[in-house]
């Protein structure tokens, strides 16, 4: 299915830290627009080993977008009750580090008598004082990969859902553009006839001027210029044909599968080129207005196409 490049997914897994303590690991996967596939990872140290596997999963599943994985963990709430009954389950005090910290504090207070003593919270946060349970590296990696894979699947589902909605929007716009072409194209002979009348009037004025000035050379040059201008300005049938061809190519791409964003972006450029040509060659106010409406619809499609993978 055609997918958007924006999406979000999240999943959680549990990791055993030992001593009956469990950590809740949450992995999030976000994606936004990008010309290429751009991967980013914000993982805690415990989960770093899973990055290569997550990178491979994304490259096999997605082709474009800025994709970022984020992970965070905390002690399971059920462990709080276990910690009250068995405080050692959350970590052990390193007595040597604690004694060394106490000695340092005494020396500091001797030098600065007015200095305050360390609080319990500050002591427990001091590096090396508490040996926290971390669990096995293999457990962290396996849990991170599982949660990342689930989060990526959710992200892909959201991208496909948004892609489906974008396809409906684009199909609706191409339908409106076809209606404009259908309305204007049959009137081309009428526009040509009207322009011929205007050209005839200009040539009649030139003939009258020739009779007065007797300047045949000037008359022929004037006629040549008017005919050339006429041929260039009213020949827009080819532009309409190419416009319809490009619209058909857009619809074909929208009912296809896989990444189509770059192809549609190219087609938007081609459509815009034809609309500009129609506007510059317009021989009637109605045709000019139609060209402007086409350009407006093309711009609306271009904005939506930027979101497609």
């Amino acid at each position: 299915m055609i997918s958007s490049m924006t999406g979000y997914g999240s999943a959680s897994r549990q990791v055993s830290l030992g001593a009956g303590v469990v950590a809740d690991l949450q992995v999030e996967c976000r994606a936004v627009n990008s010309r290429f596939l751009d991967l980013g990872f914000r993982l805690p140290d415990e989960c770093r080993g899973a990055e290569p596997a997550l990178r491979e999963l994304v490259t096999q599943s997605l082709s474009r977008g800025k994709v970022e994985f984020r992970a965070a963990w905390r002690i399971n709430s059920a462990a709080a009750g276990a910690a009250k009954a068995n405080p050692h389950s959350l970590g052990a005090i390193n007595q040597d580090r604690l004694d060394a910290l106490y000695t340092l504090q005494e020396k500091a207070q001797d030098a600065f008598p007015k200095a305050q003593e360390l609080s319990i919270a500050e002591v427990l946060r001091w590096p090396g004082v508490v040996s926290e349970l971390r669990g096995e590296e293999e457990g962290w990696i396996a849990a991170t990969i599982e949660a990342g894979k689930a989060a990526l699947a959710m992200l892909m589902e959201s991208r496909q859902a948004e892609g489906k909605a974008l396809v409906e929007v684009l199909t609706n716009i191409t339908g409106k553009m076809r209606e404009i072409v259908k309305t204007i194209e049959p009137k081309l002979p009428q526009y040509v006839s009207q322009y011929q009348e205007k050209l005839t009037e200009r040539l009649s004025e030139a003939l009258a001027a020739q009779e007065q000035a007797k300047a045949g050379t000037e008359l022929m040059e004037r006629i040549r210029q008017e005919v050339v201008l006429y041929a260039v300005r009213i020949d827009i049938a080819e532009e309409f044909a190419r416009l319809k061809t490009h619209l058909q190519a857009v619809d074909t791409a929208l009912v296809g599968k896989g990444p189509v964003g770059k192809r549609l972006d190219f087609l938007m450029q081609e459509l815009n080129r034809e609309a500009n040509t129609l506007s510059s060659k317009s021989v009637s106010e109605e045709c000019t207005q139609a060209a402007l409406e086409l350009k407006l619809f093309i711009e609306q499609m271009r904005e939506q196409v930027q979101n497609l993978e």
Side-chain angles (χ1 to χ4, degrees):
M1 293 179 63
I2 294 177
S3 299
S4 166
M5 281 191 286
T6 60
Y8 172 82
S10 66
S12 61
R13 293 294 186 273
Q14 290 188 333
V15 182
S16 174
L17 303 182
V21 180
V22 176
D24 290 327
L25 173 66
Q26 182 77 20
V27 177
E28 295 182 341
C29 185
R30 304 171 185 268
V32 294
N33 298 351
S34 178
R35 291 183 62 190
F36 308 101
L37 183 60
D38 183 10
L39 304 183
F41 298 88
R42 295 187 179 183
L43 308 177
D45 292 338
E46 296 84 358
C47 305
R48 284 291 179 187
E51 182 174 326
L54 293 177
R55 186 179 296 274
E56 184 177 358
L57 283 173
V58 177
T59 54
Q60 291 177 350
S61 304
L62 307 177
S63 61
R64 293 179 66 194
K66 182 178 177 61
V67 184
E68 183 180 68
F69 279 92
R70 295 185 181 185
W73 66 273
R74 63 180 180 179
I75 300 296
N76 188 284
S77 58
K84 292 180 181 179
N86 181 17
H88 294 290
S89 64
L90 295 181
I93 298 294
N94 187 325
Q95 191 62 45
D96 292 337
R97 297 287 292 178
L98 186 63
D99 293 342
L101 180 59
Y102 181 77
T103 301
L104 287 174
Q105 179 177 252
E106 285 187 330
K107 291 181 178 180
Q109 286 183 322
D110 289 341
F112 303 97
K114 294 183 179 180
Q116 296 182 353
E117 295 183 353
L118 293 172
S119 67
I120 294 297
E122 291 170 335
V123 170
L124 293 177
R125 285 199 300 267
W126 195 268
V129 170
V130 179
S131 301
E132 298 180 357
L133 296 174
R134 291 293 182 180
E136 297 293 333
E137 181 180 7
E138 293 77 5
W140 282 107
I141 294 176
T144 305
I145 294 175
E146 289 180 8
K149 188 175 183 179
L152 178 61
M154 185 181 297
L155 175 138
M156 292 177 63
E157 288 181 3
S158 66
R159 283 167 58 119
Q160 290 175 354
E162 185 174 340
K164 182 179 179 180
L166 289 176
V167 167
E168 292 179 359
V169 171
L170 293 172
T171 302
N172 183 48
I173 293 176
T174 57
K176 293 179 180 179
M177 293 178 66
R178 278 197 173 84
E179 287 298 322
I180 294 175
V181 173
K182 185 178 179 180
T183 301
I184 298 298
E185 193 171 22
K187 297 181 180 180
L188 290 180
Q190 178 183 344
Y191 297 150
V192 172
S193 176
Q194 292 174 351
Y195 193 79
Q196 285 176 334
E197 293 177 3
K198 292 181 181 180
L199 182 58
T200 300
E201 292 178 1
R202 291 176 183 175
L203 293 177
S204 298
E205 293 173 0
L207 287 172
Q210 188 269 343
E211 289 179 358
Q212 296 177 358
K214 303 298 181 180
T217 302
E218 269 184 40
L219 173 61
M220 293 306 298
E221 179 63 20
R222 176 82 177 271
I223 292 174
R224 187 187 68 80
Q225 292 176 357
E226 292 291 343
V227 170
V228 171
L229 180 62
Y230 168 81
V232 172
R233 295 195 65 182
I234 67 171
D235 185 17
I236 57 176
E238 186 177 348
E239 281 72 20
F240 270 100
R242 286 198 295 264
L243 188 66
K244 290 188 291 184
T245 299
H246 296 329
L247 286 174
Q248 182 59 46
V250 171
D251 285 344
T252 300
L254 291 177
V255 297
K257 296 181 180 179
V260 295
K262 291 184 178 180
R263 174 172 175 77
L264 287 173
D265 188 53
F266 171 75
L267 288 172
M268 294 305 106
Q269 298 177 31
E270 295 301 306
L271 284 169
N272 193 60
R273 182 180 292 110
E274 302 306 331
N276 284 333
T277 305
L278 287 174
S279 179
S280 64
K281 288 187 175 182
S282 174
V283 293
S284 71
E285 182 178 350
E286 187 177 8
C287 188
T288 300
Q289 185 62 35
L292 293 175
E293 290 182 7
L294 289 172
K295 291 176 68 175
L296 177 61
F297 284 133
I298 293 167
E299 185 60 31
Q300 291 177 0
M301 284 199 296
R302 190 198 300 274
E303 293 177 359
Q304 301 298 335
V305 165
Q306 299 302 317
N307 295 322
L308 290 178
E309 183 179 5

